[in-house]
Amino acid sequence: MKIALLSYSTKPRGGVVHTLALAEALAAAGEDVTVWSLGRGGDPGFFREVNPDVRVRIVPFPDGPEGETVGERILRSIATLREAFDPSPYDIVHAQDCISANAAGRCIRTVHHLDHFTTPELAACHERAIVEPFAHICVSRSVADELAAGWDLKAEVIPNGVAYERFAATDTAARTAWRTRLGRYVLTVGGIEPRKGSLDLLEAYALLRTGHPGVRLVIAGGETLFDYRAYRTRWETRASELGVEPVVLGPVPDDELPALVAAADAFAFPSLKEGFGLAAMEALAAGVPLIVRDLPVLHEVFEPAARFGATPETLAHELGQALTQNDPTRQTAGRELAARHTWDTAAQRHVDFYRSLN
């Protein structure tokens, strides 16, 4: 089959990581795969090298005019990708987000998670990208159930894979380098934004420090299409009020990320909305204690390997437990869970689903 996978960005977001890993696994299974994406800000390629068996088509997407709103950027993104993409050579057109689904026309859509937007253009993009595709995939049963309840749509459930060996077998010297630089730390990946529960994690960290004053909060990642400057300002103001100084690394080079994860004392994943939690699964592969938001989807994906907290107080308590209690049962369960989620399996299930549609 000739397969086109479409993404809205070249930056290291979870959906983009998913797209590239799926493309490479599909190509390894013998499929003819091309990944299409917008190259934001002059990006000529993705955040990491892509296996040469996968064709890559980057559509230039320069920065917009000063004062461009989020809504205007969304519409320009859709129009730019739509103008460049020709679906006719492909047997399968598979969009991974609402922007690429709006641009692709008739397509399969993976719904990674469902959001509620207030920006009119983004809300309309989100809705069209659910109702117009002719077939749907979700990365968890919980999201598929949301899709069924809200839109009466049936989705195939195909969980993410995880690059298990990449995170399970990290270089000792690289881990030591992060420990030397940061000391003991709780890590979160995904930047500072509302969906990631960043303010709640900040409050939890302030509570945690009363019993663990030497532990730092480290935040990696943060590339996004949206403008979260107002939320970031609120976060910084609250950090100052609480008297805490988290370490904000921003985007971390892809080859340095596994060691950063593996060197952490705990991994915090307090997202308010998720479809799977790929970064959290990578932490389990590395053997790092995992604390996640008490959400049905995260129980589905991470039980019994994670600890769960619903509020800053319970998140802080569970983080403290993870820092003080050696829990080999959970660690083993986490490694085994991550090892079961292979990209080869995910790719084969995608191929089976694609063929079932013909």
Side-chain angles (χ1 to χ4, degrees):
M1 282 183 291
K2 294 195 70 172
I3 302 166
L5 299 182
L6 280 70
S7 177
Y8 77 103
S9 178
T10 54
K11 307 296 186 183
R13 298 291 288 186
V16 182
V17 172
H18 168 105
T19 303
L20 296 183
L22 175 60
E24 290 170 335
L26 287 168
E31 305 300 334
D32 184 336
V33 185
T34 303
V35 175
W36 287 78
S37 181
L38 294 171
R40 300 186 178 279
D43 279 359
F46 283 98
F47 68 93
R48 67 166 177 85
E49 290 187 6
V50 181
N51 188 301
D53 291 338
V54 176
R55 296 184 182 87
V56 172
R57 299 289 182 266
I58 304 298
V59 179
F61 189 79
D63 292 336
E66 186 175 351
E68 182 180 49
T69 66
V70 171
E72 291 167 342
R73 194 177 312 127
I74 294 295
L75 294 177
R76 186 165 64 90
S77 298
I78 294 168
T80 301
L81 187 55
R82 179 187 291 146
E83 183 177 355
F85 176 65
D86 176 10
S88 62
Y90 301 103
D91 302 303
I92 297 292
V93 175
H94 185 171
Q96 297 290 330
D97 51 81
C98 79
I99 288 173
S100 62
N102 275 254
R106 179 175 167 78
C107 68
I108 301 165
R109 165 81 197 282
T110 291
V111 181
H112 291 273
H113 66 273
L114 290 162
D115 266 315
H116 300 284
F117 296 110
T118 56
T119 302
E121 297 89 346
L122 190 51
C125 171
H126 183 265
E127 183 69 14
R128 287 193 302 268
I130 291 173
V131 301
E132 292 184 0
F134 72 91
H136 301 78
I137 294 171
C138 291
V139 292
S140 61
R141 170 53 55 193
S142 295
V143 177
D145 288 346
E146 285 186 76
L147 203 60
W151 288 268
D152 197 26
L153 293 170
K154 181 181 179 180
E156 184 77 2
V157 177
I158 305 178
N160 274 314
V162 63
Y164 179 83
E165 291 298 334
R166 183 167 178 258
F167 285 85
T170 54
D171 179 73
T172 301
R175 294 198 305 273
T176 300
W178 281 115
R179 294 290 283 194
T180 300
R181 174 179 171 183
L182 298 171
R184 298 192 72 200
Y185 61 94
V186 172
L187 177 67
T188 191
V189 174
I192 298 166
E193 58 183 76
R195 185 172 70 84
K196 295 298 181 182
S198 302
L199 277 169
D200 277 358
L201 180 56
L202 190 65
E203 300 283 350
Y205 175 57
L207 294 170
L208 179 71
R209 274 174 52 89
T210 61
H212 303 272
V215 174
R216 307 175 87 173
L217 173 62
V218 177
I219 301 169
E223 290 286 357
T224 179
L225 171 67
F226 308 116
D227 184 355
Y228 293 129
R229 283 176 293 183
Y231 185 86
R232 176 69 177 263
T233 298
R234 286 173 55 204
W235 186 89
E236 291 171 347
T237 299
R238 187 58 181 151
S240 179
E241 291 170 351
L242 292 168
V244 296
E245 297 181 359
V247 179
V248 182
L249 296 175
V252 174
D254 187 61
D255 60 347
E256 297 178 21
L257 182 62
L260 173 68
V261 173
D265 292 272
F267 192 95
F269 198 70
S271 295
L272 296 163
K273 273 280 186 181
E274 282 293 342
F276 181 85
L278 184 53
M281 192 66 76
E282 291 168 344
L284 291 183
V288 176
L290 175 64
I291 298 83
V292 304
R293 180 80 64 171
D294 192 353
L295 299 176
V297 62
L298 298 182
H299 277 280
E300 174 194 340
V301 175
F302 293 111
E303 201 95 63
R307 296 176 179 272
F308 297 86
T311 64
E313 292 76 14
T314 54
L315 288 166
H317 173 75
E318 295 301 333
L319 282 165
Q321 294 290 99
L323 292 174
T324 56
Q325 294 184 1
N326 183 28
D327 194 343
T329 300
R330 269 202 182 91
Q331 184 183 55
T332 299
R335 287 192 185 276
E336 290 176 349
L337 178 65
R340 289 198 296 272
H341 284 80
T342 72
W343 283 113
D344 289 345
T345 298
Q348 186 56 58
R349 292 191 60 188
H350 276 79
V351 169
D352 292 343
F353 183 64
Y354 296 155
R355 289 176 176 156
S356 75
L357 300 173
N358 294 331

